[in-house]
C-alpha cells in the first residue's frame, strides 16, 4: 500500500465562486475588522503607557511588559516546540505499510483527509498550545522577578537549614517550571500517541504487535521524562513540607512539619524519589530492549509504593505513635511554629504583662485626676459623625465626606491634639444637572479640609471644628485646597482646556478655575484622543469642542488605585487617610510586602483577618487582594498621593525587609529611601490598622510561648464582636492617645480588647505605639487579665449600660418621638490596675438628620455614670462630687425598693424580678432569656411610670403634684428623667 502521507486523487468538483465585487467587499470588510481590532488593542496599550508616563513610573510599565512578553514567547515557544517535535517525530517514525485490518482501513480515510493539510494542522495545534502556555507563563511575572532578584533573609529554616529566601523566592519558580514540564510531557505524550495511532504505529484491534518498535521507543522516552519529573516533584515535596498547610486539631490552621511529616512523609518522599528515578531509567532502557514489561512493572511498583509509603505508612504513624502521646510528640514542632510565626508577622517583641483588672486604690476620688492624664479620651467617633460633618460643613450638594472619617494628630501651641478629619470631596450625585459636560468638565474636584477636636463637643453636641467653612479656614494654615484625587473620585475628568471648571461658591456667587497642575495625559494629540475615545467607550472625546489646547484627562484617581498601579507588587491597606502636610493635602497609604512561603509560619487570609464591623459596611475600607493567603507581612512602604497633582511617592519604611529589597532590585528607582521622608509628613504617619488586625488575630493564639500551653488551647483568645452595633462583626481597633501602665506620657496608640474563646469576659487589652518617628513605634503591649477572676469585656460592659434601669430609662426618653440613639466607639483605658470604659452616645432626631453628642457613658470598677459631659461622668464614677454609684457587695442582699402606692409597688417588684432574671441570664450566657428579661423590665418600668403618674394626678396637680411625684420616685427607686438622681436596684 502507498505511504500514509498521500492524499486523495481524482476529479475535483467545481464550486461556484462569488463575484469580484462581492469578494472585494468581503476583503475590505475583513481588513477593516482586523484594523479595528488592532486599534482597540493598541488603544489599551497606548493609554496605559501614557498614564504610567504621566505619573513618572514608566519603568514599572516597561519592566512588567517586557517580563510578560519574554515569558510569553519563551514558554510559548518551548511548549509549541515540544508538542510539534513529538508530532513530527511520531509522523516520521510511522510504519511504511499498514496492517490488513478493518481498523487500519477506517484510519486510512482519516489519513487521506488530513494529508493535504498536515502542515497547517501541525502549525495550528502547536500555535494553540503555545498561546495557552505563553499566556499562563506571562501570569507568572511576579514569580520570575522574585526568583531572579531574590535577596537572602539571612534566616534558616529549622528542618533543612536553607535560607528562607529559598522557600519565598526559589521554590515557587521551581514549582512553576515543574508544572510546565508536566504539561509539556503530557501534551507531547498525547499528541505523539494519537499520531502513532493515526499512522499505524499503535494498533488496538489489528493482528500482531500492538505497537511498532519505533512507537514503543518514542513513547517510552516520553513516559521516562514524565516519571523523571515526578521524581523531581517528590524531591521538591520534601522542602514543600516546611510550607505545607494542614488542619491540626489542636491548633486549627497549621503550616510546617509535624511529627508525622518529619518521621513518615519526609522519608517516604525520599524513598519515592529513588523509586521514581529507577522507574524512569527502566523507561529509557526501552530504547534498547523494545519492551514495556520492566518499565510497566516499575511504574506499578511506584504507584503501589506511593499508596503504601506515602499514604498508609504516615496514617499508621499518626494513629499509633502520635495520637496516644500527641503533646509530647508535637511539642518540638510547635516550638518551631511558634517562633517562625512570631518572626514572620513581626510580633516577636510583643510584651505580655500581667494586669490585675481591678483597682488597688480604695479611695477612688484620688483617681479622678489620673483619669484625665491616662488618655485623651476621644468622644468624637469618626465612624458616626460623618453625617454631622456633612450637614454642617457640606455647603453644597456636590460635595460629600466619606462615611468613615479619619483620626490624626495636629499640633497647636506645641501640644498635640487628636483630630477627626475629612475632605470635602466631589459628589457627582449631588450636582444640579447631570450630563457629560457637567460630569467630566465642570464638576471636577472637591474643595477643602474639615477637622474637629476629637476630645470635645460644644454645648449642642456638635463637633468643635478647628478647620471649617468654604474655602476652609482655621488652624491648619495656608495650603492647596482643591482635591482632584480622593477616595470618592472614581470618574475621569478632562481639565485645563477651554471649558472652565466650577471651583466653589460663596456669598458673591460661583467661582471658576482651570487646572494648573501637570497631572494626567495631554489630549491635544488626536491619536491620544482617539485612543481614549476607544478605551473609555466615549466617542465624544474624539470630537468634542470642549477639548482643546491644554486639555488633560485625569483618571485612576483614588489613592488606592494609584499606589497599586505604580507598585503592583504591594498589598494596600484598607484605609488611606488625608493629612495637611506643609502647603498641600497628601493622602497617606500604608502598603505591605507579603509572601506565603515563610517556613513553619501559619497562614492567614487577609480578607478574613482584616474584616470588622466597619469593613462590612464600607467597601472602601477593604484591604486590596483580600483573598490572598500570606504567612509573612511587613509594612515596608509608606506611600503618598498629592490630592491636587496626583503625584505618587513611595517611601521605604522597613529598611530590613528582604521582600522589599527584592522588589527594589526588580524595579530600581521606584522607592525612595526612608531618610527622604520630610518631618512634616513623618508627624502624620501612623501604625496601620490592617497590619494591627492581622497581628491581633495571630496573637489570640501566639501570645503564649510554650508548646504545652499552645497545644492545650486553654489560653486561646478571640477578637470580640462590636457591641455598639448589631453587625455581628469584629470590633475595629481604635486610635487613641493614651498612657500605658509604667509609661510617663501619652502616646498615639492603636488599641483593642480580646476575650476568651467563646466567652464575653476580658482576657487582654492590646495596644501598639502608633506614633511614627518615636523609639517605641511598633511596640506591642498586651495586658493579660487574670483567668481566675471575671473581668467584664466590651459586650458585658455594653450589656450593663443597657440593663442599668436609670440609664435604660434615660435612653428611652432620648428615643422619644422619632429620635434614634447611636452608640459611639467603646474605648478602653487601663487605669490603676482597673479598666475605664468610655462610650459617647449620640442622638439623631427631632427634625435633625445628623447625630449630636448628648451623653457620655463611663464605667470603672463596677461604678457607672451616664452624664452630659465626660467630666461630669468621671466626677460621678470617681466620687469627686460625692455622687458616685458604688458597686454592691457580691454577698450583700438588698431588699427590693418600696412604694406607698400598691400598683406602683407591684410594677417595681416585677421590674426587680425582671432585672434579676436578666442578670442571671447574663451570667449563664443565655441571650434569649436575657432579651426576654429586658423586655419584661421595660414593660414593668412603663407600668410603674404610668401608675405613678395616675397617683400623682389623683393626689393633686401642678407643682404640688410634681413635687409629690418626684418624692415618691426617689423613695421608690424608680428612675427619673435625670439619671444622676437615681440608683438602680443593683448598680453593679
Amino acid at each position: 500500500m502507498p505511504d500514509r502521507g498521500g492524499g486523495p486523487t481524482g476529479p475535483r468538483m467545481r464550486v461556484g465562486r462569488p463575484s469580484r465585487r462581492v469578494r472585494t467587499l468581503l476583503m475590505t470588510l475583513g481588513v477593516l475588522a482586523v484594523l479595528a481590532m488592532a486599534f482597540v488593542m493598541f488603544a489599551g496599550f497606548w493609554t496605559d503607557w501614557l498614564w504610567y508616563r504621566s505619573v513618572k513610573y514608566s519603568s514599572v510599565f516597561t519592566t512588567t511588559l517586557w517580563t510578560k512578553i519574554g515569558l510569553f514567547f519563551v514558554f510559548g515557544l518551548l511548549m509549541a516546540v515540544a508538542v510539534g517535535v513529538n508530532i513530527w517525530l511520531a509522523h516520521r517514525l510511522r510504519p511504511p505499510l499498514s496492517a490488513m485490518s478493518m481498523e487500519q482501513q477506517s484510519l486510512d480515510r482519516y489519513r487521506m483527509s488530513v494529508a493535504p493539510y498536515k502542515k497547517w494542522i501541525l502549525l495550528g495545534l502547536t500555535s494553540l498550545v503555545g498561546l495557552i502556555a505563553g499566556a499562563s507563563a506571562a501570569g507568572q511575572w511576579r514569580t520570575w522577578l522574585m526568583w531572579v532578584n531574590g535577596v537572602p533573609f539571612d534566616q534558616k529554616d529549622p528542618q533543612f537549614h536553607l535560607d528562607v529566601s529559598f522557600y519565598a523566592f526559589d521554590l515557587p519558580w521551581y514549582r512553576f517550571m515543574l508544572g510546565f514540564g508536566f504539561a509539556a510531557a503530557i501534551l507531547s505524550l498525547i499528541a505523539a500517541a494519537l499520531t502513532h495511532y493515526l499512522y499505524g504505529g499503535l494498533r488496538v484491534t489489528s493482528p500482531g504487535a500492538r505497537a511498532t518498535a519505533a512507537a514503543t521507543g518514542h513513547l517510552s522516552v516520553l513516559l521516562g521524562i514524565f516519571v523523571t519529573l515526578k521524581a523531581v516533584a517528590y524531591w521538591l515535596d520534601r522542602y514543600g513540607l516546611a510550607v505545607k498547610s494542614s488542619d491540626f486539631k489542636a491548633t486549627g490552621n497549621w503550616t510546617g512539619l509535624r511529627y508525622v511529616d518529619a518521621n513518615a512523609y519526609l522519608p517516604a518522599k525520599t524513598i519515592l524519589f529513588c523509586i521514581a528515578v529507577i522507574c524512569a531509567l527502566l523507561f529509557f532502557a526501552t530504547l534498547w530492549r523494545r519492551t514495556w514489561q520492566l518499565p510497566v512493572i516499575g511504574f506499578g511498583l511506584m504507584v503501589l509504593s506511593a499508596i503504601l509509603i506515602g499514604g498508609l505508612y504516615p496514617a499508621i504513624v499518626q494513629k499509633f505513635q502520635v495520637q496516644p502521646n500527641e503533646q509530647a510528640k508535637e511539642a518540638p514542632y510547635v516550638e518551631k511554629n511558634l517562633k517562625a510565626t512570631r518572626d514572620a508577622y513581626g510580633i516577636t517583641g510583643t510584651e505580655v504583662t500581667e494586669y490585675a483588672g481591678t483597682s488597688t486604690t480604695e479611695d477612688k476620688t484620688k483617681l479622678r485626676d489620673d483619669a484625665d492624664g491616662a488618655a485623651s479620651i476621644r468622644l468624637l467617633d469618626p465612624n458616626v459623625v460623618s453625617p454631622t460633618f456633612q450637614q454642617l460643613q457640606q455647603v453644597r450638594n456636590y460635595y460629600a465626606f466619606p462615611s468613615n472619617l479619619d483620626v490624626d494628630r495636629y499640633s497647636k501651641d506645641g501640644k498635640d491634639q487628636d483630630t477627626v478629619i475629612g475632605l470635602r470631596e466631589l459628589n457627582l450625585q449631588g450636582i444640579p444637572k447631570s450630563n457629560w459636560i457637567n460630569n467630566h468638565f465642570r464638576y471636577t474636584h472637591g474643595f477643602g479640609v474639615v477637622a474637629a477636636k476629637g476630645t470635645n463637643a460644644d454645648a449642642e453636641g456638635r463637633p468643635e471644628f478647628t478647620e471649617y467653612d468654604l474655602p476652609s479656614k482655621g488652624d491648619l494654615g495656608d495650603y492647596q485646597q482643591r482635591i482632584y484625587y480622593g477616595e470618592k473620585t472614581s470618574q475621569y475628568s478632562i481639565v485645563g482646556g477651554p471649558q472652565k471648571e466650577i471651583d466653589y461658591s460663596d456669598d458673591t456667587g460661583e467661582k471658576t478655575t482651570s487646572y494648573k497642575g501637570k497631572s494626567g495625559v495631554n489630549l491635544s494629540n488626536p491619536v491620544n484622543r482617539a485612543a481614549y475615545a476607544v478605551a473609555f467607550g466615549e466617542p465624544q472625546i474624539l470630537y468634542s469642542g470642549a477639548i482643546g489646547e491644554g486639555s488633560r484627562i485625569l483618571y485612576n484617581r483614588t489613592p488606592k488605585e494609584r499606589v497599586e498601579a505604580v507598585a503592583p507588587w504591594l498589598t494596600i491597606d484598607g484605609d488611606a487617610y488625608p493629612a495637611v502636610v506643609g502647603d498641600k493635602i497628601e493622602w497617606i497609604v500604608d502598603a505591605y510586602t507579603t509572601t506565603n512561603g515563610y517556613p513553619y509560619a501559619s497562614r492567614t487570609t487577609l480578607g478574613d483577618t482584616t474584616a470588622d464591623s466597619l469593613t462590612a459596611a464600607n467597601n472602601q475600607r477593604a484591604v486590596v487582594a483580600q483573598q490572598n493567603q500570606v504567612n509573612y507581612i511587613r509594612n515596608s512602604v509608606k506611600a503618598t498621593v498629592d490630592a491636587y497633582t496626583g503625584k505618587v511617592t513611595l517611601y521605604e519604611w522597613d529598611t530590613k525587609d528582604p521582600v522589599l529589597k527584592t522588589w527594589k532590585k526588580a524595579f530600581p528607582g521606584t522607592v525612595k529611601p526612608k531618610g527622604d521622608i520630610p518631618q512634616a509628613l513623618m508627624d502624620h504617619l501612623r501604625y496601620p490598622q490592617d497590619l494591627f488586625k492581622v497581628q491581633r488575630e495571630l496573637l489570640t493564639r501566639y501570645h503564649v510561648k510554650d508548646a504545652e500551653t499552645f497545644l492545650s488551647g486553654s489560653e486561646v483568645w478571640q477578637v470580640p464582636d462590636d457591641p455598639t452595633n448589631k453587625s455581628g462583626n469584629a470590633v475595629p481597633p481604635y486610635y487613641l492617645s493614651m498612657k500605658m501602665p509604667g509609661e510617663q506620657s501619652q502616646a498615639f496608640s492603636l488599641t483593642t480588647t480580646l476575650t476568651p474563646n467563646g466567652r464575653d469576659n476580658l482576657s487582654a487589652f492590646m495596644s501598639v505605639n502608633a506614633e511614627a518617628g518615636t523609639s517605641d513605634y511598633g511596640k506591642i503591649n498586651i495586658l493579660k487579665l487574670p483567668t481566675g477572676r471575671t473581668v467584664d469585656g466590651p459586650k458585658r460592659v455594653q450589656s450593663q449600660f443597657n440593663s442599668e434601669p436609670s440609664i435604660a430609662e434615660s435612653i428611652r426618653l432620648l428615643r422619644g418621638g422619632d429620635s434614634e440613639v447611636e452608640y459611639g466607639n467603646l474605648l478602653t483605658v487601663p487605669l490603676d490596675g482597673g479598666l475605664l470604659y468610655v462610650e459617647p452616645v449620640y442622638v439623631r432626631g427631632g427634625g435633625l438628620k445628623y447625630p449630636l453628642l448628648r451623653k457620655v457613658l463611663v464605667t470603672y470598677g463596677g461604678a457607672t455614670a451616664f452624664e452630659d459631659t465626660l467630666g461630669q461622668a468621671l466626677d460621678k464614677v470617681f466620687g469627686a462630687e460625692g455622687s458616685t454609684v458604688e458597686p454592691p457587695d457580691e454577698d450583700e442582699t438588698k431588699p427590693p425598693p418600696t412604694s406607698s402606692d400598691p400598683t406602683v409597688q407591684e410594677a417595681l417588684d416585677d421590674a426587680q424580678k425582671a432585672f434579676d432574671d436578666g442578670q442571671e441570664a447574663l451570667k449563664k450566657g443565655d441571650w434569649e432569656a436575657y432579651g426576654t428579661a429586658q423586655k419584661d423590665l421595660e414593660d414593668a418600668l412603663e407600668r410603674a411610670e404610668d401608675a405613678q403618674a395616675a397617683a400623682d394626678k389623683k393626689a393633686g396637680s401642678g407643682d404640688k403634684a410634681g413635687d409629690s411625684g418626684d418624692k415618691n420616685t426617689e423613695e421608690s427607686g424608680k428612675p427619673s428623667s435625670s439619671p444622676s438622681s437615681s440608683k438602680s436596684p443593683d448598680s453593679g
Side-chain angles (χ1 to χ4, degrees):
M1 290 185 65
D3 181 6
R4 244 55 96 239
T9 60
R12 296 173 177 262
M13 269 184 99
R14 258 186 104 73
V15 180
R17 300 177 63 188
S19 66
R20 181 184 298 273
R21 179 179 298 178
V22 173
R23 292 201 306 272
T24 303
L25 178 61
L26 291 175
M27 186 176 296
T28 303
L29 291 175
V31 170
L32 290 175
V34 171
L35 289 175
M37 292 177 61
F39 189 78
V40 169
M41 296 173 63
F42 167 78
F45 163 80
W46 185 243
T47 53
D48 285 347
W49 162 248
L50 291 174
W51 186 86
Y52 275 97
R53 193 176 65 174
S54 74
V55 293
K56 307 296 190 295
Y57 281 90
S58 55
S59 63
V60 174
F61 179 80
T62 54
T63 300
T64 305
L65 178 65
W66 286 117
T67 302
K68 290 179 178 179
I69 290 174
L71 292 172
F72 177 85
F73 279 105
V74 169
F75 285 93
L77 187 62
L78 284 174
M79 182 65 76
V81 168
V83 174
V85 166
N86 279 283
I87 292 175
W88 172 83
L89 187 59
H91 180 266
R92 182 73 179 270
L93 296 174
R94 68 191 184 279
L97 298 174
S98 63
M100 298 301 295
S101 68
M102 293 298 296
E103 178 186 24
Q104 293 304 312
Q105 290 179 20
S106 299
L107 289 173
D108 275 338
R109 290 196 296 270
Y110 292 104
R111 287 192 283 265
M112 288 187 293
S113 299
V114 302
Y117 312 106
K118 286 189 297 187
K119 292 181 179 179
W120 292 107
I121 292 173
L122 178 62
L123 182 62
L125 284 175
T126 54
S127 299
L128 179 62
V129 297
L131 286 171
I132 295 173
S136 175
Q140 297 294 323
W141 65 271
R142 290 181 177 86
T143 308
W144 162 260
L145 288 176
M146 293 182 79
W147 181 60
V148 297
N149 297 286
V151 172
F153 277 66
D154 293 326
Q155 294 177 342
K156 298 184 182 299
D157 79 281
Q159 181 66 41
F160 301 102
H161 307 293
L162 296 174
D163 192 90
V164 172
S165 61
F166 170 80
Y167 302 94
F169 306 142
D170 299 343
L171 191 57
W173 179 251
Y174 297 153
R175 281 177 166 167
F176 164 72
M177 291 284 288
L178 187 63
F180 178 83
F182 273 123
I186 292 171
L187 288 175
S188 298
L189 183 63
I190 294 172
L194 289 174
T195 306
H196 278 298
Y197 177 71
L198 180 63
Y199 288 96
L202 290 178
R203 303 155 189 166
V204 177
T205 62
S206 299
R210 293 286 181 256
T212 63
T216 300
H218 184 196
L219 297 179
S220 294
V221 169
L222 291 176
L223 286 169
I225 293 173
F226 177 84
V227 177
T228 301
L229 292 172
K230 189 61 181 174
V232 176
Y234 281 133
W235 189 256
L236 288 181
D237 284 347
R238 298 169 68 254
Y239 303 111
L241 293 172
V243 290
K244 183 192 74 172
S245 289
S246 59
D247 186 30
F248 189 13
K249 182 178 66 175
T251 62
N253 182 35
W254 173 273
T255 301
L257 285 84
R258 291 155 51 192
Y259 180 89
V260 70
D261 297 312
N263 294 277
Y265 281 111
L266 186 57
K269 296 293 184 183
T270 306
I271 294 170
L272 289 171
F273 164 76
C274 297
I275 294 174
V277 170
I278 295 171
C279 185
L281 293 175
L282 291 175
F283 274 108
F284 291 134
T286 308
L287 281 171
W288 296 275
R289 292 179 55 86
R290 302 297 183 179
T291 175
W292 280 348
Q293 185 177 5
L294 284 179
V296 168
I297 293 173
F299 188 79
L301 288 174
M302 186 181 76
V303 173
L304 182 62
S305 300
I307 296 172
L308 295 178
I309 302 175
L312 185 60
Y313 174 61
I316 293 172
V317 171
Q318 178 70 25
K319 179 70 175 178
F320 295 102
Q321 290 190 36
V322 178
Q323 288 185 5
N325 193 17
E326 188 172 53
Q327 287 209 355
K329 295 291 186 183
E330 302 288 14
Y333 304 96
V334 171
E335 294 285 355
K336 297 174 184 178
N337 179 268
L338 283 169
K339 182 181 184 306
T341 302
R342 293 168 71 87
D343 289 342
Y345 289 94
I347 55 178
T348 301
T350 301
E351 292 188 3
V352 181
T353 307
E354 299 292 333
Y355 193 70
T358 57
S359 174
T360 57
T361 302
E362 294 184 3
D363 186 0
K364 295 295 188 290
T365 58
K366 296 180 180 178
L367 298 178
R368 177 62 183 86
D369 292 336
D370 293 340
D372 286 332
S376 298
I377 297 173
R378 181 170 41 75
L379 299 179
L380 212 61
D381 186 345
N383 308 307
V384 173
V385 298
S386 177
T388 307
F389 273 52
Q390 189 83 0
Q391 188 69 25
L392 301 178
Q393 289 294 322
Q394 177 188 19
V395 184
R396 293 290 182 268
N397 286 338
Y398 48 82
Y399 295 129
F401 294 93
S403 56
N404 301 101
L405 303 176
D406 290 288
V407 179
D408 202 349
R409 300 97 63 217
Y410 286 87
S411 180
K412 185 177 182 181
D413 301 328
K415 184 179 180 181
D416 286 342
Q417 166 72 48
D418 285 4
T419 303
V420 175
I421 185 172
L423 300 189
R424 195 183 284 112
E425 292 190 50
L426 178 66
N427 174 32
L428 283 181
Q429 283 69 38
I431 65 175
K433 184 178 181 181
S434 179
N435 55 53
W436 190 66
I437 292 295
N438 279 345
N439 292 352
H440 299 289
F441 290 82
R442 288 180 56 76
Y443 294 92
T444 59
H445 60 279
F447 206 101
V449 173
V450 176
K453 293 180 180 179
T455 54
N456 298 83
D458 66 15
E460 299 298 322
R462 297 173 298 195
E464 287 191 8
F465 292 107
T466 58
E467 190 78 6
Y468 49 89
D469 287 351
L470 183 68
S472 296
K473 59 185 179 182
D475 297 342
L476 301 185
D478 295 329
Y479 56 92
Q480 173 57 261
Q481 297 194 20
R482 295 172 183 87
I483 302 160
Y484 282 87
Y485 295 88
E487 288 183 303
K488 299 178 73 69
T489 315
S490 56
Q491 80 290 344
Y492 72 88
S493 289
I494 298 176
V495 298
Q499 178 66 60
K500 289 292 185 180
E501 310 162 45
I502 293 177
D503 205 19
Y504 65 91
S505 300
D506 59 15
D507 294 338
T508 62
E510 189 175 86
K511 308 292 184 182
T512 60
T513 188
S514 186
Y515 184 65
K516 299 297 190 297
K518 300 300 181 184
S519 182
V521 177
N522 195 322
L523 291 181
S524 299
N525 188 325
V527 176
N528 292 356
R529 293 177 66 170
Y532 278 102
V534 171
F536 286 8
E538 293 280 10
Q540 299 98 315
I541 294 177
L542 186 60
Y543 54 77
S544 174
I547 301 175
E549 189 65 31
S551 291
R552 311 182 72 85
I553 185 168
L554 313 181
Y555 61 105
N556 286 353
R557 297 171 70 182
T558 68
K560 282 186 187 179
E561 283 179 323
R562 296 181 78 77
V563 175
E564 189 182 27
V566 303
W569 36 273
L570 290 174
T571 299
I572 311 302
D573 189 90
D575 184 26
Y577 61 98
V580 177
V581 180
D583 60 353
K584 55 190 175 183
I585 301 171
E586 295 269 19
W587 287 98
I588 300 174
V589 183
D590 285 287
Y592 310 106
T593 47
T594 62
T595 179
N596 66 350
Y598 197 101
Y600 271 102
S602 289
R603 288 184 172 88
T604 185
T605 303
L606 291 180
D608 296 338
T609 310
T610 58
D612 58 30
S613 61
L614 298 182
T615 61
N618 185 358
N619 289 332
Q620 287 186 339
R621 289 226 168 180
V623 66
V624 173
Q626 55 183 319
Q627 296 307 313
N628 278 11
Q629 271 209 334
V630 304
N631 67 353
Y632 172 93
I633 186 169
R634 290 290 186 273
N635 177 211
S636 54
V637 171
K638 301 283 189 181
T640 62
V641 177
D642 191 300
Y644 181 73
T645 66
K647 180 182 178 181
V648 182
T649 309
L650 307 177
Y651 293 103
E652 179 183 30
W653 186 247
D654 190 329
T655 57
K656 298 179 180 179
D657 177 30
V659 182
L660 177 60
K661 292 178 181 178
T662 296
W663 286 119
K664 285 176 66 179
K665 281 182 64 180
F667 296 97
T670 57
V671 182
K672 292 187 175 182
K674 187 175 183 178
D676 287 357
I677 300 177
Q679 186 59 46
L681 174 61
M682 183 71 76
D683 292 340
H684 296 282
L685 300 182
R686 66 189 192 187
Y687 201 81
Q689 292 188 63
D690 284 339
L691 177 60
F692 184 73
K693 286 189 277 189
V694 170
Q695 290 173 328
R696 75 171 176 179
E697 182 65 33
L698 267 296
L699 283 168
T700 59
R701 291 177 292 143
Y702 286 90
H703 63 278
V704 301
K705 296 185 178 181
D706 63 283
E708 184 177 348
T709 306
F710 186 84
L711 285 167
S712 71
S714 60
E715 290 290 332
V716 174
W717 301 336
Q718 68 180 13
V719 180
D721 292 342
D722 191 345
T724 65
N725 58 58
K726 298 179 181 179
S727 67
N729 293 292
V731 62
Y734 295 124
Y735 285 106
L736 181 69
S737 289
M738 58 167 293
K739 182 169 63 177
M740 287 290 285
E743 295 180 352
Q744 300 301 314
S745 60
Q746 294 182 13
F748 192 63
S749 304
L750 196 53
T751 67
T752 191
T753 51
L754 299 167
T755 59
N757 197 19
R759 299 172 61 195
D760 295 322
N761 53 294
L762 196 66
S763 284
F765 174 80
M766 175 181 169
S767 73
V768 63
N769 187 309
E771 199 161 337
T774 61
S775 58
D776 286 338
Y777 172 83
K779 180 182 178 182
I780 299 175
N781 288 288
I782 293 179
L783 302 181
K784 184 176 180 293
L785 280 300
T787 56
R789 182 172 64 254
T790 299
V791 179
D792 291 337
K795 194 169 185 178
R796 286 195 171 191
V797 170
Q798 188 70 47
S799 296
Q800 288 179 10
F801 283 156
N802 296 339
S803 62
E804 181 84 25
S806 61
I807 296 175
E809 175 64 11
S810 296
I811 289 178
R812 189 181 71 81
L813 293 174
L814 289 174
R815 285 197 176 109
D818 60 351
S819 298
E820 297 178 5
V821 172
E822 296 183 34
Y823 294 102
N825 36 221
L826 180 57
L827 302 176
T828 309
V829 178
L831 177 64
D832 190 48
L835 292 163
L836 176 68
Y837 287 95
V838 179
E839 183 177 65
V841 177
Y842 297 84
V843 176
R844 184 201 300 250
L848 298 176
K849 297 180 180 179
Y850 56 93
L852 297 175
L853 180 65
R854 291 303 190 195
K855 293 286 185 179
V856 181
L857 282 163
V858 174
T859 184
Y860 182 81
T864 303
F866 185 57
E867 300 296 327
D868 294 338
T869 66
L870 176 62
Q872 293 172 357
L874 291 174
D875 287 343
K876 183 174 181 181
V877 163
F878 292 108
E881 295 180 355
S883 59
T884 186
V885 181
E886 293 293 339
D889 191 332
E890 292 182 359
D891 298 327
E892 178 183 0
T893 57
K894 290 186 177 183
T898 61
S899 172
S900 58
D901 187 282
T903 307
V904 175
Q905 182 60 49
E906 181 182 356
L908 289 173
D909 290 343
D910 291 342
Q912 180 68 48
K913 182 178 183 304
F915 180 79
D916 292 340
D917 291 344
Q919 294 299 100
E920 186 65 27
L922 193 62
K923 292 178 182 178
K924 295 179 179 179
D926 188 345
W927 297 108
E928 183 177 354
Y930 177 75
T932 302
Q934 289 298 104
K935 186 176 184 305
D936 293 343
L937 175 62
E938 184 178 353
D939 292 342
L941 289 173
E942 288 181 358
R943 285 193 285 111
E945 183 179 19
D946 294 341
Q948 186 64 58
D952 292 344
K953 185 176 181 180
K954 184 177 180 180
S957 59
D959 293 338
K960 182 177 179 180
D963 293 342
S964 175
D966 289 344
K967 183 177 179 180
N968 287 338
T969 301
E970 292 171 359
E971 289 175 353
S972 66
K974 174 182 175 293
S976 69
S977 61
S978 175
S980 60
S981 65
S982 64
K983 185 175 181 180
S984 69
D986 186 358
S987 61

